[in-house]
Amino acid sequence: MKETIIVTGGAGFIGSHVVRLLVNKYPHTRIINLDKLTYAGNLENLKDIEDRPNYSFIKADICDYERVKDIISSNGVTGIIHLAAESHVDRSILDPFTFAKTNVLGTLTLLQAAREYWEPQGWEGKRFYHISTDEVYGALELTRPEGVPGSGESGGGPYGDDFFTEETRYQPHSPYSAAKASSDHFVRAYHDTYGMPTLVTNCSNNYGPFQFPEKLIPLFINNIRHRKPLPVYGKGENVRDWLYVEDHARAIDLIFHEGKVGTTYNIGGFNEWKNIDLIKVLIKVTDRLLGRPEGEDEDLITYVTDRKGHDLRYAIDSTKLKEELGWEPSLQFEEGIEKTVRWYLDHQDWLDNVTSGDYLKYYENMYKGR
Ligand code: NAD
Ligand code: DAU
């Protein structure tokens, strides 16, 4: 094998797509999936590649310094793609300490463990790539409330003139985004202080197969199927910028191999949707694929108390990534959503499996606490 890369959080939603892509594309690179297997990590997500000679899994906690240091040094690791995190905003509102521990201390632990092993050898050929979120930039205004969903382009979005760029000031609002922001700062500090070759990317909302059904899209598809209420926070007017997960994984591969170290790239699809408009599309597509009259399940929409500190609008400007590295999203939203709904409807076993046991307890408590 030519080199060894650790992907942290490889058993989660985005991480599993990244691991699959790397294992398939680079048969001579060893890919180690390092994951604690929290409620969000699931090795079923990687069944199709688990026997590949260049893939291995290590169950470990990124907060465990000695263990992480040993894994990096005993495997001669040259690159780290860091996705492990607590990722759900609602949970962070109920349990901020867990988010600070995993997202901040876990990232710092990885950085320091990598530094201890890499610095004496020289930084040449090493890379620490930290996957972050657009939520660190805070929230944008909704200056064109009657915009046309999905129609954004560089120069002005459908719901407002401004976008998050790589220069936008950090202004996180939730404990989740505050913890992610802090971890981003630590990564840059390791570059600026020790010269570690780091990369940070800030991506918009992902959707696609294997997403844990506490997040809007898989939760709602599952609820529509079972004719359960669809809990829309507030008035459903918040705007999110959606990107198909495989397009994010492609961007991660490209940036890891060709990105300029010490810099940041924003990743997004210029694809803004108001929640309520997106939910109506989801209902139509799910109804159609289930053989029900399209839109029949709109009566499941239930407006509930808003998320505390709910960010109004996210919109990413990914021009830098397009101009420097030539990346663009490959899928139209309509195509991505259809593929996604079909995948969840075809994988009811996966949904049933991940929504049993521990998850149910968390979920029930979450709603009690709201
Ligand atoms: P996820 O919750 O689906 O998966 C997280 C993974 O991390 C799980 O496999 C979990 O077991 C693992 N993990 C958690 N704590 C760990 C620990 N202490 N040690 C080792 N492993 C641990 O998350 P996701 O949605 O795939 O997000 C992955 C990354 O991408 C996160 O860093 C998130 O902030 C970022 N991100 C997510 C999105 C999105 O829309 N989902 C968008 C932008 C950025
Ligand atoms: O922007 C990137 C971020 O996207 C990632 O960093 C996070 O890890 C990821 O979870 C996601 O955060 P959001 O909070 O935007 O995603 P979520 O799916 O939780 O919610 C999407 C929108 O839908 C948001 O405005 C809240 C709303 N919502 C969500 C749920 C779960 C509802 O109205 N009802 C719901 O039940």
mmCIF file with all atom_site columns, all heavy atoms in Angstrom, residues 147-162:
data_model
loop_
_atom_site.group_PDB
_atom_site.id
_atom_site.type_symbol
_atom_site.label_atom_id
_atom_site.label_alt_id
_atom_site.label_comp_id
_atom_site.label_asym_id
_atom_site.label_entity_id
_atom_site.label_seq_id
_atom_site.pdbx_PDB_ins_code
_atom_site.Cartn_x
_atom_site.Cartn_y
_atom_site.Cartn_z
_atom_site.occupancy
_atom_site.B_iso_or_equiv
_atom_site.pdbx_formal_charge
_atom_site.auth_seq_id
_atom_site.auth_comp_id
_atom_site.auth_asym_id
_atom_site.auth_atom_id
_atom_site.pdbx_PDB_model_num
ATOM 1  N N   . GLY A 1 147 ? -38.930 34.260 -2.967  1.00 0.00 ? 147 GLY A N   1
ATOM 2  C CA  . GLY A 1 147 ? -37.995 33.746 -3.980  1.00 0.00 ? 147 GLY A CA  1
ATOM 3  C C   . GLY A 1 147 ? -38.435 32.416 -4.566  1.00 0.00 ? 147 GLY A C   1
ATOM 4  O O   . GLY A 1 147 ? -39.378 31.781 -4.101  1.00 0.00 ? 147 GLY A O   1
ATOM 5  N N   . VAL A 1 148 ? -37.702 32.005 -5.604  1.00 0.00 ? 148 VAL A N   1
ATOM 6  C CA  . VAL A 1 148 ? -38.036 30.735 -6.265  1.00 0.00 ? 148 VAL A CA  1
ATOM 7  C C   . VAL A 1 148 ? -37.054 29.665 -5.777  1.00 0.00 ? 148 VAL A C   1
ATOM 8  O O   . VAL A 1 148 ? -35.856 29.818 -5.955  1.00 0.00 ? 148 VAL A O   1
ATOM 9  C CB  . VAL A 1 148 ? -37.920 30.888 -7.805  1.00 0.00 ? 148 VAL A CB  1
ATOM 10 C CG1 . VAL A 1 148 ? -38.301 29.594 -8.499  1.00 0.00 ? 148 VAL A CG1 1
ATOM 11 C CG2 . VAL A 1 148 ? -38.774 32.047 -8.274  1.00 0.00 ? 148 VAL A CG2 1
ATOM 12 N N   . PRO A 1 149 ? -37.576 28.582 -5.154  1.00 0.00 ? 149 PRO A N   1
ATOM 13 C CA  . PRO A 1 149 ? -36.678 27.594 -4.550  1.00 0.00 ? 149 PRO A CA  1
ATOM 14 C C   . PRO A 1 149 ? -35.639 27.054 -5.520  1.00 0.00 ? 149 PRO A C   1
ATOM 15 O O   . PRO A 1 149 ? -35.941 26.828 -6.692  1.00 0.00 ? 149 PRO A O   1
ATOM 16 C CB  . PRO A 1 149 ? -37.611 26.455 -4.146  1.00 0.00 ? 149 PRO A CB  1
ATOM 17 C CG  . PRO A 1 149 ? -38.985 26.970 -4.242  1.00 0.00 ? 149 PRO A CG  1
ATOM 18 C CD  . PRO A 1 149 ? -38.968 28.225 -5.039  1.00 0.00 ? 149 PRO A CD  1
ATOM 19 N N   . GLY A 1 150 ? -34.428 26.875 -4.992  1.00 0.00 ? 150 GLY A N   1
ATOM 20 C CA  . GLY A 1 150 ? -33.399 26.177 -5.755  1.00 0.00 ? 150 GLY A CA  1
ATOM 21 C C   . GLY A 1 150 ? -32.744 26.984 -6.852  1.00 0.00 ? 150 GLY A C   1
ATOM 22 O O   . GLY A 1 150 ? -31.824 26.518 -7.500  1.00 0.00 ? 150 GLY A O   1
ATOM 23 N N   . SER A 1 151 ? -33.203 28.231 -7.086  1.00 0.00 ? 151 SER A N   1
ATOM 24 C CA  . SER A 1 151 ? -32.745 28.932 -8.284  1.00 0.00 ? 151 SER A CA  1
ATOM 25 C C   . SER A 1 151 ? -31.523 29.818 -8.045  1.00 0.00 ? 151 SER A C   1
ATOM 26 O O   . SER A 1 151 ? -31.225 30.653 -8.872  1.00 0.00 ? 151 SER A O   1
ATOM 27 C CB  . SER A 1 151 ? -33.867 29.796 -8.827  1.00 0.00 ? 151 SER A CB  1
ATOM 28 O OG  . SER A 1 151 ? -34.110 30.862 -7.923  1.00 0.00 ? 151 SER A OG  1
ATOM 29 N N   . GLY A 1 152 ? -30.844 29.652 -6.932  1.00 0.00 ? 152 GLY A N   1
ATOM 30 C CA  . GLY A 1 152 ? -29.737 30.555 -6.613  1.00 0.00 ? 152 GLY A CA  1
ATOM 31 C C   . GLY A 1 152 ? -28.551 30.411 -7.548  1.00 0.00 ? 152 GLY A C   1
ATOM 32 O O   . GLY A 1 152 ? -28.351 29.388 -8.178  1.00 0.00 ? 152 GLY A O   1
ATOM 33 N N   . GLU A 1 153 ? -27.798 31.481 -7.674  1.00 0.00 ? 153 GLU A N   1
ATOM 34 C CA  . GLU A 1 153 ? -26.542 31.427 -8.407  1.00 0.00 ? 153 GLU A CA  1
ATOM 35 C C   . GLU A 1 153 ? -25.634 32.507 -7.867  1.00 0.00 ? 153 GLU A C   1
ATOM 36 O O   . GLU A 1 153 ? -26.089 33.412 -7.178  1.00 0.00 ? 153 GLU A O   1
ATOM 37 C CB  . GLU A 1 153 ? -26.767 31.611 -9.898  1.00 0.00 ? 153 GLU A CB  1
ATOM 38 C CG  . GLU A 1 153 ? -27.493 32.902 -10.190 1.00 0.00 ? 153 GLU A CG  1
ATOM 39 C CD  . GLU A 1 153 ? -27.863 33.014 -11.657 1.00 0.00 ? 153 GLU A CD  1
ATOM 40 O OE1 . GLU A 1 153 ? -28.354 32.012 -12.216 1.00 0.00 ? 153 GLU A OE1 1
ATOM 41 O OE2 . GLU A 1 153 ? -27.650 34.092 -12.204 1.00 0.00 ? 153 GLU A OE2 1
ATOM 42 N N   . SER A 1 154 ? -24.353 32.405 -8.198  1.00 0.00 ? 154 SER A N   1
ATOM 43 C CA  . SER A 1 154 ? -23.400 33.376 -7.696  1.00 0.00 ? 154 SER A CA  1
ATOM 44 C C   . SER A 1 154 ? -23.860 34.771 -8.082  1.00 0.00 ? 154 SER A C   1
ATOM 45 O O   . SER A 1 154 ? -24.257 35.002 -9.212  1.00 0.00 ? 154 SER A O   1
ATOM 46 C CB  . SER A 1 154 ? -22.041 33.071 -8.311  1.00 0.00 ? 154 SER A CB  1
ATOM 47 O OG  . SER A 1 154 ? -21.078 33.813 -7.659  1.00 0.00 ? 154 SER A OG  1
ATOM 48 N N   . GLY A 1 155 ? -23.821 35.718 -7.126  1.00 0.00 ? 155 GLY A N   1
ATOM 49 C CA  . GLY A 1 155 ? -24.269 37.075 -7.417  1.00 0.00 ? 155 GLY A CA  1
ATOM 50 C C   . GLY A 1 155 ? -25.586 37.384 -6.740  1.00 0.00 ? 155 GLY A C   1
ATOM 51 O O   . GLY A 1 155 ? -25.994 38.534 -6.655  1.00 0.00 ? 155 GLY A O   1
ATOM 52 N N   . GLY A 1 156 ? -26.271 36.395 -6.221  1.00 0.00 ? 156 GLY A N   1
ATOM 53 C CA  . GLY A 1 156 ? -27.525 36.668 -5.517  1.00 0.00 ? 156 GLY A CA  1
ATOM 54 C C   . GLY A 1 156 ? -28.340 35.403 -5.382  1.00 0.00 ? 156 GLY A C   1
ATOM 55 O O   . GLY A 1 156 ? -28.487 34.665 -6.357  1.00 0.00 ? 156 GLY A O   1
ATOM 56 N N   . GLY A 1 157 ? -28.833 35.122 -4.173  1.00 0.00 ? 157 GLY A N   1
ATOM 57 C CA  . GLY A 1 157 ? -29.618 33.916 -3.958  1.00 0.00 ? 157 GLY A CA  1
ATOM 58 C C   . GLY A 1 157 ? -31.102 34.201 -4.122  1.00 0.00 ? 157 GLY A C   1
ATOM 59 O O   . GLY A 1 157 ? -31.506 35.354 -4.190  1.00 0.00 ? 157 GLY A O   1
ATOM 60 N N   . PRO A 1 158 ? -31.918 33.173 -4.193  1.00 0.00 ? 158 PRO A N   1
ATOM 61 C CA  . PRO A 1 158 ? -33.361 33.379 -4.373  1.00 0.00 ? 158 PRO A CA  1
ATOM 62 C C   . PRO A 1 158 ? -34.029 34.038 -3.173  1.00 0.00 ? 158 PRO A C   1
ATOM 63 O O   . PRO A 1 158 ? -35.077 34.648 -3.319  1.00 0.00 ? 158 PRO A O   1
ATOM 64 C CB  . PRO A 1 158 ? -33.888 31.967 -4.592  1.00 0.00 ? 158 PRO A CB  1
ATOM 65 C CG  . PRO A 1 158 ? -32.862 31.064 -4.022  1.00 0.00 ? 158 PRO A CG  1
ATOM 66 C CD  . PRO A 1 158 ? -31.553 31.757 -4.159  1.00 0.00 ? 158 PRO A CD  1
ATOM 67 N N   . TYR A 1 159 ? -33.421 33.925 -1.995  1.00 0.00 ? 159 TYR A N   1
ATOM 68 C CA  . TYR A 1 159 ? -34.061 34.477 -0.793  1.00 0.00 ? 159 TYR A CA  1
ATOM 69 C C   . TYR A 1 159 ? -33.296 35.647 -0.186  1.00 0.00 ? 159 TYR A C   1
ATOM 70 O O   . TYR A 1 159 ? -33.680 36.157 0.853   1.00 0.00 ? 159 TYR A O   1
ATOM 71 C CB  . TYR A 1 159 ? -34.251 33.372 0.253   1.00 0.00 ? 159 TYR A CB  1
ATOM 72 C CG  . TYR A 1 159 ? -35.169 32.291 -0.246  1.00 0.00 ? 159 TYR A CG  1
ATOM 73 C CD1 . TYR A 1 159 ? -34.674 31.068 -0.660  1.00 0.00 ? 159 TYR A CD1 1
ATOM 74 C CD2 . TYR A 1 159 ? -36.541 32.536 -0.354  1.00 0.00 ? 159 TYR A CD2 1
ATOM 75 C CE1 . TYR A 1 159 ? -35.518 30.098 -1.161  1.00 0.00 ? 159 TYR A CE1 1
ATOM 76 C CE2 . TYR A 1 159 ? -37.390 31.568 -0.859  1.00 0.00 ? 159 TYR A CE2 1
ATOM 77 C CZ  . TYR A 1 159 ? -36.864 30.350 -1.260  1.00 0.00 ? 159 TYR A CZ  1
ATOM 78 O OH  . TYR A 1 159 ? -37.701 29.406 -1.765  1.00 0.00 ? 159 TYR A OH  1
ATOM 79 N N   . GLY A 1 160 ? -32.194 36.041 -0.818  1.00 0.00 ? 160 GLY A N   1
ATOM 80 C CA  . GLY A 1 160 ? -31.414 37.173 -0.300  1.00 0.00 ? 160 GLY A CA  1
ATOM 81 C C   . GLY A 1 160 ? -30.184 37.376 -1.165  1.00 0.00 ? 160 GLY A C   1
ATOM 82 O O   . GLY A 1 160 ? -29.762 36.466 -1.879  1.00 0.00 ? 160 GLY A O   1
ATOM 83 N N   . ASP A 1 161 ? -29.618 38.608 -1.074  1.00 0.00 ? 161 ASP A N   1
ATOM 84 C CA  . ASP A 1 161 ? -28.477 38.942 -1.937  1.00 0.00 ? 161 ASP A CA  1
ATOM 85 C C   . ASP A 1 161 ? -27.189 38.276 -1.500  1.00 0.00 ? 161 ASP A C   1
ATOM 86 O O   . ASP A 1 161 ? -26.304 38.038 -2.310  1.00 0.00 ? 161 ASP A O   1
ATOM 87 C CB  . ASP A 1 161 ? -28.225 40.460 -1.884  1.00 0.00 ? 161 ASP A CB  1
ATOM 88 C CG  . ASP A 1 161 ? -29.345 41.207 -2.576  1.00 0.00 ? 161 ASP A CG  1
ATOM 89 O OD1 . ASP A 1 161 ? -29.805 40.700 -3.614  1.00 0.00 ? 161 ASP A OD1 1
ATOM 90 O OD2 . ASP A 1 161 ? -29.758 42.270 -2.067  1.00 0.00 ? 161 ASP A OD2 1
ATOM 91 N N   . ASP A 1 162 ? -27.065 38.034 -0.199  1.00 0.00 ? 162 ASP A N   1
ATOM 92 C CA  . ASP A 1 162 ? -25.755 37.637 0.319   1.00 0.00 ? 162 ASP A CA  1
ATOM 93 C C   . ASP A 1 162 ? -25.605 36.126 0.465   1.00 0.00 ? 162 ASP A C   1
ATOM 94 O O   . ASP A 1 162 ? -26.589 35.391 0.559   1.00 0.00 ? 162 ASP A O   1
ATOM 95 C CB  . ASP A 1 162 ? -25.514 38.317 1.670   1.00 0.00 ? 162 ASP A CB  1
ATOM 96 C CG  . ASP A 1 162 ? -26.724 38.231 2.583   1.00 0.00 ? 162 ASP A CG  1
ATOM 97 O OD1 . ASP A 1 162 ? -27.785 37.751 2.118   1.00 0.00 ? 162 ASP A OD1 1
ATOM 98 O OD2 . ASP A 1 162 ? -26.616 38.616 3.753   1.00 0.00 ? 162 ASP A OD2 1
#
